[in-house]
């Protein structure tokens, strides 16, 4: 049955009205006023100083980025974000030098490029870049005729103007093929097969033109740039080789078992286990120099020594130490550039010699050391954010004094209201206020607190917060959400995630609302060196300082699940309930264990697709864990695996309990706080891939609703809030990205309007569901959240293009009618259309693209209309959104002068009219 022209026009008109009502523009002068973006490149894989410029460093990173960084300021000059995944992994970065340029000209090779990169495995992409502008000059690809596993282990190196492709076949031989850099033509007619039965996986490394392996008590190496009959270089280690050798940049040499070994000759030098090494030939007129970097953690010092490479004798002109705080990890020397200073004389680094040393640390930071001092640091750990939280700042000194004045609790006699004490505090506070005012006028007032000096005080509208960010490398940052300033940094080198894609956890035990008690957060992770031990780091999120006792707690067990207790102790602190892999419960601190009584927990086994529920009880001073239910979601073929588990935000508030229908009745929402969305995927007997979505009550273990999608592929992104669920996926059959919304309702009658109980067996809900088509691939999903839940919910959609779209729930409403436009008009619902529009006006980051979006975090502000947003990926973007517009704020262009004049005129007029009226009444009384 087709639609009439009138119906089509009415549907289009209603959709246009909804889009216009949800669009919000941005004026040019508002750019950067309520938002900021910080761009990063990631942890360095390789880097070099560009010899064609004194102010440029070319780097390739683990985040698949090629970039040029200013050597003066550390700012990004240009950046090229390569492909995601293994296809964009940088296998080789070669920055041309004057000598290599001359070699190419002698060989008749086109020198119209400055940088060469090799990325990916099968196929491998070889590109030439312009170092001035970062533009692509040429490109060619290579598809190896080897197995996928061998292609993934392939390595590349540049020698004498040729690119060498090396494919190891473990336990057998090496396949070496040279290519012309620009054209991609094979330089030799056949591929060389070099016998090397001793090569083993995770035991070998490419060092210059040598392929070296630490095998038992020997260091074996082959020169791949020589002919196929080259002999094997063998060096005794004296003990069993520990791990793979570390290559030394700039020289065919390795570090194995704490020693430096040259592969050209018999030179060796004792190195520390974590010492860095670098060889450079451009320090002093071609004199090769070996640099050794050592970090003394006791004194927080980085010492760099130099040795002449020809005899390994200490090279005095380069030797200096610099402060190297605990916020930086162990360094790796990446590159060095020295020049003679014009002023001559002596300095810390030697007579007339000025050196810049580029370092990359374990935590991902990029550091430039110049003349024995750290010139700048780029915190590239922020390119891999795992979790984040917005926290309220502390009160200002004046507000804190008022808070203490209004504190009517009498600690001495325990009275709830002490009139005399309150009066005494009031008079004392007023005297102090007058005293401080007089001293402030005289310029000799008391010094403000540290938070007051740093500007870390709460504003009137709660828009100014501290953004605490935890990164994959174990680094924690305290960032100002208004200015983007890094107020503090802490590095936890022993922390890591839980594996299987489970990141470290950041939990808020106490906020800043309980003045004068400070806020307290905890980071939960796993020991890097021992996967069976958990770690806790407890700290003040405003100052970054650990709590008394160091803040670091080592747990003698492996953590399986964690939750915050609902009740607080006398100091308003929420305890941590931890469940280990023996299903034993623990509470930190132990004094709050009594609050864990009758607490429900659940666990998931991703690989087996199983869920288990537990009841924690406090009996006789001990915690007992009782299994209550178990669910197997692996399906009949046992091939399903859990890929997503999404619960509701613990801080969200539901303002509206129901939805008004066209007949004036109320359809009550199914608001179950214990509901969790579980997504499983895997092949079945008929379809290649199938996606199952289950809504599970984790207290009773009952499956409330299930839904299946056939021929669906990840990535899957989910948002679960109030009574609805939204998730996106890739439809392999239609080859497009789709998004599905589900709404749950109790019906026309509400089971319990006060307290929800999953144990009372509530009836199964009514389910409304609908699917839509998105024009772009999705990278992340998140819902907006406000303090009271009055503001309308919007969905933030992070796209793979780097844009973030804000979509109204009205467009995702599963109750959008397909065949009844009259019903849509009655309830104010948009008629159903499968395609969801994404106009540019809905992009909250306008032209501030966030590369490789991985997640988003939202938090309420002090204003009910405003939600704070963090978008993280390769970059950071922080902004604020107002889904229902700023109904609780005056506009920026509000005419204060006009309203003042109107009020004055109205007030004056009322007094004048009042006088005239009174005189009129007097005259009438005398008549």
């Amino acid at each position: 049955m087709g639609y009439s022209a009138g119906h089509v026009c009415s549907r289009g008109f209603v959709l246009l009205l909804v889009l216009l009502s949800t669009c919000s523009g941005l004026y040019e002068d508002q750019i950067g006023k309520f938002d900021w973006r910080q761009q990063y490149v990631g942890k360095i894989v390789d880097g070099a100083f560009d010899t064609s410029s004194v102010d440029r460093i070319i780097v390739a990173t683990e985040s698949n980025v090629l970039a040029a960084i200013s050597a003066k300021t550390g700012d990004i000059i240009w950046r090229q974000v390569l492909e995601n995944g293994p296809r964009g992994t940088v296998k080789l970065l070669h920055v041309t030098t004057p000598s290599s340029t001359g070699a190419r000209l002698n060989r008749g090779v086109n020198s119209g490029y400055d940088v060469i990169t090799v990325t990916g495995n099968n196929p491998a992409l070889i590109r030439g870049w312009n170092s001035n502008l970062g533009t692509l000059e040429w490109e060619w690809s290579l598809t190896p005729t080897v197995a996928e596993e061998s292609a993934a282990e392939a390595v590349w190196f540049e020698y004498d103007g040729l690119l060498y492709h090396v494919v190891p076949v473990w336990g057998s031989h090496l396949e070496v093929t040279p290519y012309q850099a620009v054209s991609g033509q094979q330089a030799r007619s056949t591929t060389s097969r070099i016998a090397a039965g001793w090569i083993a996986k995770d035991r070998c490394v490419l060092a210059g033109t040598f392929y070296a392996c630490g095998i038992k008590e020997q260091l074996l190496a082959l020169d791949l740039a020589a002919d196929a009959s080259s002999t094997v270089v063998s060096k005794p280690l004296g003990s069993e080789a520990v791990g793979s050798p570390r290559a030394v940049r700039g020289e065919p040499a390795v570090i194995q078992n704490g020693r430096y070994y040259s592969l050209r000759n018999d030179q060796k030098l004792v190195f520390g286990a974590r010492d860095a090494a670098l060889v450079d030939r451009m320090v002093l007129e071609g004199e090769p120099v070996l640099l050794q970097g050592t970090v003394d953690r006791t004194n927080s010092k980085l010492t760099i020594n130099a040795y002449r490479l020809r005899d390994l004798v200490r090279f005095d002109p380069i030797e200096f130490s610099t402060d190297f705080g605990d916020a930086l990890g162990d360094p790796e020397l990446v590159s060095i550039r020295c020049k003679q200073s014009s002023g001559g004389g002596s300095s810390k680094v030697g007579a007339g010699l000025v050196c810049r040393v580029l370092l990359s640390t374990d935590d991902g930071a990029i550091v430039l050391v110049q003349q024995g001092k750290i010139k700048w640091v780029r915190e590239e750990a922020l390119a891999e954010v795992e979790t984040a939280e917005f926290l309220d700042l502390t009160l200002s000194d004046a507000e804190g004094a008022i808070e203490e004045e209004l504190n009517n609790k009498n600690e001495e006699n325990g009275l709830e209201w002490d009139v005399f004490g309150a009066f005494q505090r009031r008079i004392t506070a007023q005297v102090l206020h007058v005293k401080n005012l007089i001293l402030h006028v005289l310029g000799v007032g008391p010094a403000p607190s540290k938070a007051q000096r740093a500007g870390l005080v709460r504003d009137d509208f709660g828009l100014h917060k501290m953004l605490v960010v935890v990164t994959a490398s174990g680094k924690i940052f305290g960032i100002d959400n208004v200015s983007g300033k890094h107020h503090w940094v802490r590095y936890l080198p022993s922390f890591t995630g839980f594996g299987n894609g489970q990141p470290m956890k950041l939990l808020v035990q106490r906020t800043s609302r309980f003045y004068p008690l400070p806020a307290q957060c905890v980071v939960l992770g796993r020991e890097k060196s021992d996967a069976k031990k958990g770690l806790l780091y407890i700290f003040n999120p405003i100052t970054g300082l650990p709590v008394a006792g160091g803040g670091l707690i080592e747990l003698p067990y492996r953590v399986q699940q964690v939750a915050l207790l609902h009740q607080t102790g006398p100091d308003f602190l929420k305890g941590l309930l931890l469940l280990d892999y023996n299903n034993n419960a623990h509470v930190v601190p132990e004094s709050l264990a009594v609050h864990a009584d009758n607490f429900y927990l659940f666990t998931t086994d991703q690989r087996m697709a199983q869920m288990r529920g537990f009841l924690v009880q406090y009996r006789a001073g001990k915690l007992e864990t009782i299994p209550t239910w178990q669910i197997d979601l692996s399906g009949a073929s046992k091939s399903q695996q859990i890929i997503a588990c999404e619960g509701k935000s613990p801080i969200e508030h539901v303002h509206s309990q129901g939805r008004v229908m066209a007949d004036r009745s109320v359809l009550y929402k199914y608001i179950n706080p214990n509901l969790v969305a579980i997504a499983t995927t895997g092949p079945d007997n008929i379809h290649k891939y199938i996606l199952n979505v289950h809504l599970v009550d984790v207290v009773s273990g009952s499956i409330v609703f299930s839904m299946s999608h056939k021929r669906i592929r990840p990535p899957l992104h989910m948002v679960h809030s109030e009574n609805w669920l939204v998730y996106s996926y890739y439809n392999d059959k239609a080859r497009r990205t789709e998004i599905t919304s589900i709404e749950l309702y109790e019906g026309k009658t509400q089971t319990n309007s006060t307290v929800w109980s999953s144990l009372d067996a509530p009836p199964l809900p009514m389910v409304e569901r609908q699917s839509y088509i998105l024009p772009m691939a999705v990278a992340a999903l998140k819902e907006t959240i406000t303090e009271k839940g009055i503001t309308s919910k919007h969905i933030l959609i992070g796209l793979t293009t780097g844009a973030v779209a804000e979509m109204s729930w009205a467009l995702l409403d599963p109750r959008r009618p397909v065949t009844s436009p009259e019903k849509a008009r009655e309830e104010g619902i948009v008629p159903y259309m499968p395609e969801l529009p994404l106009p540019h006006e809905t992009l909250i980051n306008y032209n501030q693209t966030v590369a490789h979006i991985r997640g988003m975090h939202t938090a309420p502000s002090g204003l009910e209309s405003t939600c704070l947003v963090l978008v993280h990926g390769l970059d950071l973007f922080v902004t604020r959104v107002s889904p229902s517009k700023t109904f609780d704020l005056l506009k920026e262009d509000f005419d204060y002068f006009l309203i003042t004049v109107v009020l004055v005129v109205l007030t004056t007029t009322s007094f004048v009219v009042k006088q005239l009226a009174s005189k009129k009444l007097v005259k009438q009384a005398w008549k």
Side-chain angles (χ1 to χ4, degrees):
M1 180 178 178
Y3 291 110
S4 65
H7 286 164
V8 173
C9 292
S10 63
R11 291 177 61 185
F13 181 71
V14 173
L15 179 61
L16 179 63
L17 289 179
V18 171
L19 289 178
L20 290 177
S21 65
T22 57
C23 292
S24 56
L26 185 72
Y27 293 101
E28 185 178 359
D29 59 350
Q30 291 180 318
I31 294 176
K33 187 174 183 179
F34 304 117
D35 57 70
W36 51 263
R37 181 184 64 167
Q38 295 177 355
Q39 292 185 304
Y40 299 96
V41 298
K43 185 178 180 181
I44 286 183
V45 172
D46 201 356
F49 286 91
D50 186 5
T51 55
S52 63
S53 171
V54 296
D55 187 32
R56 190 162 52 229
I57 304 171
I58 309 297
V59 297
T61 70
E62 292 181 357
S63 301
N64 300 355
V65 171
L66 175 69
I69 299 176
S70 170
K72 292 182 179 179
T73 62
D75 297 332
I76 297 176
I77 299 175
W78 55 260
R79 184 182 72 169
Q80 291 288 350
V81 181
L82 307 177
E83 294 82 359
N84 254 328
R87 192 182 178 195
T89 302
V90 179
K91 292 295 191 73
L92 172 68
L93 170 67
H94 175 68
V95 181
T96 59
T97 60
S99 58
S100 62
T101 304
R104 289 199 310 276
L105 292 175
N106 292 335
R107 297 175 62 90
V109 179
N110 179 18
S111 60
Y113 61 92
D114 305 301
V115 180
I116 300 176
T117 60
V118 179
T119 59
N121 303 317
N122 195 7
L125 297 176
I126 298 88
R127 295 166 169 147
W129 307 85
N130 186 306
S131 63
N132 291 323
L133 304 175
T135 55
L136 181 65
E137 301 291 335
W138 49 262
E139 176 185 19
W140 54 274
S141 63
L142 174 66
T143 303
T145 57
V146 295
E148 185 71 25
E149 182 180 356
S150 299
E153 300 292 340
V155 292
W156 293 74
F157 68 91
E158 190 274 346
Y159 180 73
D160 197 21
L162 297 177
L163 292 178
Y164 286 78
H165 181 222
V166 183
V167 180
V169 180
W170 303 122
S172 177
H173 62 277
L174 293 168
E175 298 181 3
V176 182
T177 310
Y179 295 93
Q180 299 289 346
V182 177
S183 64
Q185 296 180 353
Q186 194 167 325
R188 298 175 188 169
S189 58
T190 59
T191 298
S192 302
R193 290 174 175 263
I194 304 176
W198 38 267
I199 62 175
K201 192 174 183 179
D202 299 328
R203 288 284 181 177
C204 302
V205 70
L206 181 67
T209 62
F210 283 77
Y211 199 79
C213 301
I215 307 298
K216 295 184 179 179
E217 296 183 358
Q218 283 187 319
L219 181 64
L220 305 176
L222 274 172
D223 188 358
L224 304 180
D227 55 17
S229 61
S230 61
T231 59
V232 178
V233 177
S234 176
K235 295 180 180 295
L237 297 176
S239 60
E240 184 76 17
V242 179
S244 173
R246 287 189 292 142
V248 177
R249 299 177 189 266
E251 177 69 12
V254 297
I255 299 176
Q256 179 77 61
N257 293 5
R259 284 181 179 272
Y260 166 88
Y261 291 92
S262 173
L263 301 178
R264 293 186 186 273
N265 48 50
D266 295 331
Q267 290 180 344
K268 59 183 179 180
L269 188 67
V270 177
F271 265 50
R274 301 295 300 171
D275 283 2
L278 170 68
V279 173
D280 194 273
R281 288 174 166 76
M282 302 299 294
V283 174
L284 278 178
E285 299 179 355
E287 174 72 32
V289 172
L290 167 65
L291 297 179
Q292 177 190 21
T294 304
V295 175
D296 181 4
R297 287 297 178 190
T298 304
N299 300 315
S300 299
K301 289 287 185 181
L302 167 66
T303 303
I304 297 180
N305 300 318
Y307 304 86
R308 282 202 307 261
L309 191 61
R310 49 189 167 89
D311 52 14
L312 295 185
V313 174
R314 181 69 64 85
F315 191 65
D316 292 336
I318 304 178
E319 181 180 0
F320 57 83
S321 297
T322 184
D323 293 333
F324 210 73
D326 294 335
L328 295 173
D330 292 328
E332 178 184 358
L333 297 174
V334 178
S335 186
I336 183 174
R337 187 173 185 182
C338 299
K339 66 177 182 178
Q340 294 289 341
S341 62
S342 58
S346 61
S347 65
K348 275 189 173 182
V349 294
L353 192 64
V354 178
C355 292
R356 288 176 173 176
V357 183
L358 182 66
L359 307 173
S360 174
T361 62
D362 286 346
D363 57 281
I366 303 176
V367 185
L368 187 73
V369 178
Q370 178 176 328
Q371 292 183 282
K373 295 182 180 180
I374 294 180
K375 188 175 180 64
W376 49 258
V377 177
R378 287 189 58 87
E379 294 291 359
E380 296 300 333
L382 288 169
E384 295 184 357
V385 173
E386 288 197 342
T387 183
E389 288 285 349
F390 288 91
L391 286 106
D392 291 325
L393 295 173
T394 58
L395 298 175
S396 64
D397 295 345
E399 291 174 336
I402 296 174
E403 189 74 18
E404 291 181 355
E405 176 186 342
L406 298 177
N407 182 14
N408 296 311
K409 183 177 179 181
N410 193 322
E411 298 181 355
E412 296 182 359
N413 51 26
L415 295 177
E416 294 184 359
W417 181 267
D418 183 14
V419 178
F420 178 75
F423 178 75
Q424 184 181 11
R425 282 191 295 270
R426 180 63 180 269
I427 296 301
T428 305
Q430 293 298 328
V431 172
L432 289 176
H433 288 171
V434 174
K435 178 182 176 182
N436 292 335
L437 179 61
I438 296 174
L439 293 176
H440 179 72
V441 173
L442 297 177
V444 292
S449 63
K450 186 176 180 180
Q452 186 89 19
R453 292 195 304 269
L456 297 178
V457 292
R458 195 180 308 170
D459 62 329
D460 295 333
F461 298 138
L463 298 172
H464 191 191
K465 292 179 181 285
M466 176 66 76
L467 176 58
V468 180
V469 173
V470 180
T471 64
S473 63
K475 216 164 189 181
I476 311 174
F477 294 84
I479 304 176
D480 193 318
N481 79 310
V482 173
S483 64
K485 179 182 177 181
H486 299 178
H487 285 284
W488 54 264
V489 181
R490 292 292 178 271
Y491 179 43
L492 308 176
S494 58
F495 273 68
T496 187
F498 295 95
N500 297 325
Q502 295 295 323
M504 291 178 282
K505 304 294 183 183
L506 175 62
L507 303 168
V508 182
Q509 291 186 284
R510 184 173 57 213
T511 65
S512 299
R513 297 183 178 183
F514 305 102
Y515 186 87
L517 297 174
Q520 183 170 310
C521 288
V522 59
V523 174
L524 173 64
R526 177 174 59 88
E527 176 74 47
K528 276 185 181 179
S529 58
D530 190 353
K532 295 183 179 180
K533 291 185 178 180
L535 289 175
L536 290 175
Y537 179 71
I538 307 174
F539 64 100
N540 184 332
I542 308 303
T543 63
L545 299 176
V547 298
L552 185 62
I553 300 177
E554 295 184 3
L555 305 175
Y557 47 83
R558 185 181 175 191
V559 179
Q560 183 180 192
Q561 183 63 285
V562 61
L564 281 172
L565 297 180
H566 302 314
Q567 300 179 10
T568 62
D571 54 355
F572 304 101
L573 188 72
K574 288 186 177 181
L576 289 180
L577 178 60
L578 306 172
L579 185 70
D580 62 23
Y581 273 80
N582 294 324
N583 296 332
N584 295 323
H586 312 268
V587 173
V588 178
E590 296 181 357
S591 59
L592 300 178
V594 64
H595 298 309
D597 190 26
N598 291 329
F599 197 100
Y600 288 88
L601 284 175
F602 77 98
T603 62
T604 59
D605 188 331
Q606 294 183 353
R607 187 176 60 87
M608 301 299 295
Q610 292 182 349
M611 298 181 66
R612 294 180 176 87
F614 301 91
L615 172 61
V616 179
Q617 292 184 335
Y618 185 75
R619 297 290 183 268
K622 294 183 180 180
L623 292 174
E624 298 179 0
T625 306
I626 303 173
T628 55
W629 54 267
Q630 180 173 342
I631 301 176
D632 188 353
L633 302 176
S634 60
S637 60
K638 302 295 182 182
S639 59
Q640 296 283 309
Q641 293 186 352
I642 296 177
I643 60 171
C645 176
E646 191 72 24
K648 300 179 182 180
S649 174
I651 62 173
E652 84 167 357
H653 293 83
V654 181
H655 178 71
S656 176
Q657 297 292 323
R659 183 169 186 168
V660 179
M661 309 296 290
D663 58 357
R664 302 298 183 264
S665 62
V666 177
L667 190 61
Y668 289 99
K669 297 178 181 179
Y670 182 83
I671 304 174
N672 184 351
N674 305 317
L675 205 62
V676 172
I678 304 292
T680 64
T681 186
D684 63 357
N685 297 329
I686 302 176
H687 302 89
K688 191 173 182 181
Y689 285 96
I690 186 170
L691 172 68
N692 294 320
V693 177
H694 309 276
L695 294 177
V696 181
D697 190 312
V698 294
V699 171
S700 63
S702 60
I703 299 179
V704 176
F705 175 74
S706 293
M707 186 175 180
S708 295
H709 302 267
K710 298 173 182 178
R711 295 190 65 178
I712 297 301
R713 287 181 178 270
L716 176 77
H717 304 283
M718 305 178 73
V719 172
H720 192 192
S721 177
E722 293 191 359
N723 67 319
W724 51 263
L725 172 69
V726 173
Y727 55 95
S728 66
Y729 50 85
Y730 181 76
N731 189 325
D732 197 32
K733 181 180 180 180
R735 297 185 180 277
R736 65 194 183 194
T737 299
E738 296 181 355
I739 188 167
T740 297
S741 60
I742 299 174
E743 263 191 319
L744 307 178
Y745 292 96
E746 288 191 49
K748 297 296 183 68
T749 59
Q750 195 171 18
T751 305
N752 193 331
S753 60
T754 56
V755 179
W756 177 273
S757 176
S758 297
L759 302 178
D760 291 342
L764 292 178
M766 300 167 48
V767 180
E768 299 281 352
R769 50 188 171 177
Q770 192 59 268
S771 295
Y772 302 91
I773 302 171
L774 281 174
M776 297 180 186
V778 177
L781 287 178
K782 195 67 178 178
E783 85 279 14
T784 59
I785 185 171
T786 54
E787 193 168 12
K788 301 297 182 182
I790 301 174
T791 304
S792 301
K793 289 275 188 177
H794 280 195
I795 309 299
L796 302 178
I797 305 176
L799 306 175
T800 54
T801 60
V804 181
E806 182 183 1
M807 182 168 290
S808 171
W809 174 251
L811 297 177
L812 291 170
D813 193 343
R815 300 187 69 253
R816 289 176 62 178
V818 180
T819 59
S820 179
E822 294 80 9
K823 180 181 178 181
R825 286 194 296 268
E826 289 178 1
E827 294 190 24
I829 305 176
V830 184
Y832 177 75
M833 292 185 66
E835 296 85 5
L836 289 176
L838 287 178
H840 294 290
E841 291 81 3
T842 63
L843 303 183
I844 64 174
N845 59 336
Y846 44 105
N847 65 344
Q848 303 293 306
T849 303
V850 181
H852 293 175
I853 294 177
R854 281 191 289 269
M856 293 182 287
H857 295 270
T858 56
S861 67
L863 294 174
E864 173 57 30
S865 64
T866 307
C867 172
L868 305 178
V869 181
L870 164 68
V871 184
H872 64 86
L874 185 60
D875 308 325
L876 292 183
F877 179 75
V878 173
T879 186
R880 61 181 74 160
V881 295
S882 301
S884 299
K885 306 297 179 60
T886 52
F887 57 83
D888 48 3
L889 273 181
L890 294 176
K891 294 182 179 180
E892 292 182 7
D893 56 351
F894 184 79
D895 197 337
Y896 294 94
F897 176 76
L898 178 61
I899 194 66
T900 303
V901 171
V902 171
L903 289 176
V904 170
V905 170
L906 290 176
T907 304
T908 306
T909 304
S910 63
F911 276 106
V912 171
V913 172
K914 182 180 179 180
Q915 293 296 328
L916 294 177
S918 62
K919 290 181 179 180
K920 183 177 180 181
L921 290 175
V922 171
K923 290 181 179 180
Q924 290 178 351
W926 282 100
K927 287 183 179 179

